[in-house]
Amino acid sequence: MFEARLPQSHIFKKILEAVKDLLTEATFDCSDSGIQLQAMDNAHVSLVSLNLRSDGFDKYRCDRNLSMGINLASMTKIMKCAGNEDTLTMKAQDNADTVTFVFESKNQDRVSDYEMKLMNLDREYLGIPETDYACVVKIPSGEFARICRDLAQFGESINIACTKEGVKFSATGDIGSANIKLAQTANVDKEEEAVIVEMQEPVSLNFACRYLLNFAKAAPLSNQVSLSMSLDVPLVVEFKIDDIGHIRYYLAPKIETDDN
Amino acid sequence: MFEARLPQSHIFKKILEAVKDLLTEATFDCSDSGIQLQAMDNAHVSLVSLNLRSDGFDKYRCDRNLSMGINLASMTKIMKCAGNEDTLTMKAQDNADTVTFVFESKNQDRVSDYEMKLMNLDREYLGIPETDYACVVKIPSGEFARICRDLAQFGESINIACTKEGVKFSATGDIGSANIKLAQTANVDKEEEAVIVEMQEPVSLNFACRYLLNFAKAAPLSNQVSLSMSLDVPLVVEFKIDDIGHIRYYLAPKIETDDN
DNA sequence: CCGGCTCACG
DNA sequence: CGTGAGCCGG
């Protein structure tokens, strides 16, 4: 059987908020090492990759590898029924066609369980090569969300330009042009406010704003987000998730000329 | 060139909130003495007049008089990209057809700039005679907004009746009639809560609710609003803006009988 | 002053 | 349904 317990359901709630607008359904692959989800978004433009290590769970047991095809809208509905502080347990029998979510309040006064039908989903295994990136930028995730929101008003694509001094986000459109420059922080008063640029080589790439906006929905999962970029290679937007794993989004640059 | 800097962008943000529903575009007249905007609203019913003195700015430079035709929806979008505590700098070259807004966070780690195209707008210079008013009422601006909102439910016009005892706002309609009376405050505990009536002669005038509602959007700019009234003369609704100027709205009374 | 939540609108 | 604005709490 499969059983995984987290002391706080809110991580899972936020994960669902972070994927449900990109994916209508997805397969959760459970193995001894943890839970993994990997899927192209509905439009087959970006890729979502979620990793939750087994050791990050309060309790974890997975006797046999298990692929659970899940309708994310349904799962979102169920997760909304959990209190943020509830203990969450996911359970499935080895060959079952359902998964059960159990929410327990801290004092055990309230226990609820939700059983959800699993789906058979076509799988597409995608190899993601590990790469060295020309630039890796870490910025506060709230800042990232804010930048995407602000620049979305100006155009459909956002240019990210990275030099060793910092990173610049730009957009151009009918109402004008916008540039947001973040300098690498010298004084790291609070770690979560740091802007850190690791640069081998400067890059300047364009991305579809709409996807970046969706990625930014993962901001509640982490104070910081890292953006890894190289020429002609998909951007990686990574949010670490506490002590358990990460969620990554991959998005190919727009191959446009810099005429905006 | 033209350059004007304010230590806090929120004044400008609020100014835009206070005009954007009345005007789709407007000309900002910049001169050595400051920035002025004067325009009839889209329906040519009311008049908006904004004055920002140069000495109210942190830094101000205007080599040549400059009239900037601005689409206020665009400018509103741009102002929404500023943090409330950001330093705001407006810049334009002498004969440029664009204006640039620069927002800087207090620690300079974040700098964003927005360039916006200027428009050529037809100008209408309107002389506004200085007048003595039969009644000048000062009330808390939040109170004013509340009154307009409350009375809006009853009818399309609001009667403002002023005597030396105080001021009464009334509306009548299908669902009934409403009267809100504010007595002149005796004990001025807090200045911003004061209701002050300066009366030469009592007045009772009717105004289109819809415009008063729009004027009330300037409430965040000031704790107090003053209403200046005389028979058959436009009402003046004035909000002082900190140490820098004011915004005034002018609205002619409805010439109806008091049958509501 | 910022973040989360709730309500209203497109 | 998803997004944006206003309100309340930390």
Side-chain angles (χ1 to χ4, degrees):
Chain A
M1 74 172 297
F2 168 72
E3 184 170 343
R5 189 169 70 197
L6 271 181
Q8 294 191 332
S9 71
H10 69 84
I11 292 180
F12 246 79
K13 300 179 82 156
K14 289 174 188 168
I15 287 171
L16 274 131
E17 293 303 314
V19 300
K20 76 167 169 32
D21 295 329
L22 284 165
L23 314 173
T24 58
E25 63 239 341
T27 301
F28 286 68
D29 290 307
C30 307
S31 72
D32 202 43
S33 60
I35 302 177
Q36 193 170 5
L37 176 159
Q38 209 173 85
M40 299 293 288
D41 72 84
N42 298 329
H44 270 247
V45 172
S46 66
L47 174 74
V48 182
S49 170
L50 170 72
N51 265 277
L52 302 172
R53 294 185 309 273
S54 55
D55 60 57
F57 289 86
D58 210 24
K59 179 180 174 184
Y60 191 92
R61 173 180 165 186
C62 184
D63 300 339
R64 294 185 46 178
N65 286 1
L66 189 66
S67 283
M68 303 192 293
I70 287 184
N71 176 306
L72 294 173
S74 301
M75 185 166 168
T76 300
K77 284 183 185 173
I78 288 173
M79 290 309 304
K80 286 193 175 158
C81 302
N84 279 331
E85 301 305 306
D86 286 358
T87 296
L88 160 67
T89 308
M90 276 177 81
K91 288 183 190 175
Q93 297 305 315
D94 277 345
N95 287 307
D97 59 354
T98 63
V99 58
T100 301
F101 300 90
V102 182
F103 307 137
E104 292 163 277
S105 64
K106 285 300 176 219
N107 60 18
Q108 307 273 323
D109 280 352
R110 177 192 164 116
V111 179
S112 51
D113 64 274
Y114 298 81
E115 188 172 326
M116 188 178 66
K117 282 227 183 63
L118 295 174
M119 318 166 67
N120 273 319
L121 297 178
D122 290 340
R123 303 301 313 286
E124 25 176 1
Y125 287 94
L126 301 140
I128 301 166
E130 284 288 325
T131 321
D132 280 335
Y133 288 91
C135 293
V136 178
V137 179
K138 292 193 173 64
I139 65 174
S141 57
E143 182 73 71
F144 177 65
R146 173 72 195 255
I147 288 168
C148 295
R149 212 170 58 234
D150 284 352
L151 293 187
Q153 305 187 100
F154 292 85
E156 293 180 356
S157 48
I158 292 181
N159 175 273
I160 308 180
C162 185
T163 64
K164 66 177 182 303
E165 283 77 31
V167 55
K168 183 179 75 169
F169 300 84
S170 310
T172 302
D174 294 343
I175 75 169
S177 66
N179 297 290
I180 301 171
K181 291 169 215 146
L182 302 183
Q184 175 145 210
T185 44
N187 48 346
V188 193
D189 357 345
K190 300 173 188 172
E191 200 183 337
E192 69 264 29
E193 292 175 6
V195 172
I196 298 165
V197 177
E198 289 164 19
M199 190 205 75
Q200 314 294 326
E201 209 173 332
V203 295
S204 170
L205 298 166
N206 293 307
F207 300 99
C209 189
R210 175 201 151 137
Y211 287 93
L212 298 183
L213 277 168
N214 276 129
F215 304 166
K217 291 185 177 145
L221 283 165
S222 177
N223 288 325
Q224 288 271 129
V225 59
S226 80
L227 311 174
S228 303
M229 292 167 283
S230 288
L231 194 61
D232 299 333
V233 160
L235 161 75
V236 187
V237 178
E238 172 175 328
F239 299 83
K240 298 249 181 257
I241 305 175
D242 286 333
D243 299 311
I244 191 173
H246 61 251
I247 185 167
R248 290 185 188 145
Y249 302 92
Y250 296 79
L251 177 65
K254 287 192 173 184
I255 24 182
E256 300 173 40
T257 54
D258 260 303
D259 57 0
N260 47 352
Chain B
M1 74 172 295
F2 168 71
E3 184 169 343
R5 188 168 70 195
L6 272 180
Q8 294 191 328
S9 71
H10 69 83
I11 292 180
F12 245 80
K13 299 179 82 156
K14 290 174 187 167
I15 287 171
L16 272 130
E17 293 304 313
V19 300
K20 76 166 168 31
D21 294 328
L22 284 166
L23 313 173
T24 57
E25 61 236 340
T27 301
F28 286 68
D29 290 306
C30 306
S31 72
D32 202 44
S33 61
I35 301 177
Q36 193 170 4
L37 177 158
Q38 212 174 83
M40 300 292 289
D41 72 85
N42 299 328
H44 271 245
V45 171
S46 66
L47 174 75
V48 182
S49 170
L50 169 73
N51 265 277
L52 303 173
R53 293 185 310 274
S54 54
D55 60 59
F57 289 86
D58 209 23
K59 179 179 173 185
Y60 192 91
R61 173 180 164 184
C62 184
D63 300 339
R64 295 184 46 178
N65 286 2
L66 189 65
S67 283
M68 303 191 295
I70 287 184
N71 176 307
L72 293 173
S74 300
M75 185 166 167
T76 300
K77 284 185 181 175
I78 288 172
M79 290 310 304
K80 285 190 177 161
C81 301
N84 279 331
E85 302 305 304
D86 285 357
T87 297
L88 159 66
T89 308
M90 276 177 82
K91 288 183 191 176
Q93 298 303 316
D94 277 342
N95 287 306
D97 58 353
T98 63
V99 59
T100 301
F101 300 91
V102 181
F103 307 137
E104 292 163 279
S105 65
K106 287 299 177 221
N107 62 17
Q108 306 272 323
D109 280 351
R110 178 187 164 123
V111 179
S112 51
D113 63 90
Y114 298 81
E115 187 171 327
M116 187 178 67
K117 282 224 183 67
L118 295 174
M119 318 167 67
N120 273 319
L121 297 178
D122 290 340
R123 303 300 313 286
E124 24 177 0
Y125 288 94
L126 302 139
I128 301 164
E130 285 287 325
T131 321
D132 281 336
Y133 287 92
C135 291
V136 178
V137 179
K138 292 193 174 65
I139 64 173
S141 57
E143 183 71 71
F144 177 64
R146 176 69 194 257
I147 289 168
C148 294
R149 211 170 56 231
D150 287 352
L151 293 187
Q153 306 185 326
F154 291 86
E156 293 179 357
S157 49
I158 292 182
N159 176 272
I160 308 181
C162 184
T163 64
K164 65 177 183 302
E165 283 77 31
V167 56
K168 184 179 73 170
F169 300 84
S170 312
T172 301
D174 295 344
I175 73 171
S177 66
N179 296 290
I180 300 170
K181 292 172 211 142
L182 301 181
Q184 175 145 209
T185 45
N187 50 345
V188 192
D189 357 347
K190 299 174 189 171
E191 199 183 337
E192 68 264 28
E193 292 175 5
V195 173
I196 298 164
V197 177
E198 288 165 19
M199 191 205 74
Q200 314 295 326
E201 209 174 334
V203 294
S204 172
L205 298 165
N206 294 307
F207 300 99
C209 188
R210 157 182 179 174
Y211 287 94
L212 299 183
L213 277 169
N214 275 129
F215 304 165
K217 292 186 177 143
L221 283 165
S222 177
N223 288 325
Q224 288 272 128
V225 58
S226 80
L227 311 174
S228 304
M229 292 167 283
S230 287
L231 193 62
D232 300 334
V233 161
L235 160 74
V236 187
V237 179
E238 170 174 330
F239 300 83
K240 299 251 183 254
I241 306 175
D242 287 335
D243 299 311
I244 192 173
H246 61 252
I247 185 168
R248 289 186 188 144
Y249 303 91
Y250 295 81
L251 177 65
K254 286 192 172 182
I255 26 182
E256 300 172 38
T257 54
D258 261 305
D259 57 0
N260 46 350

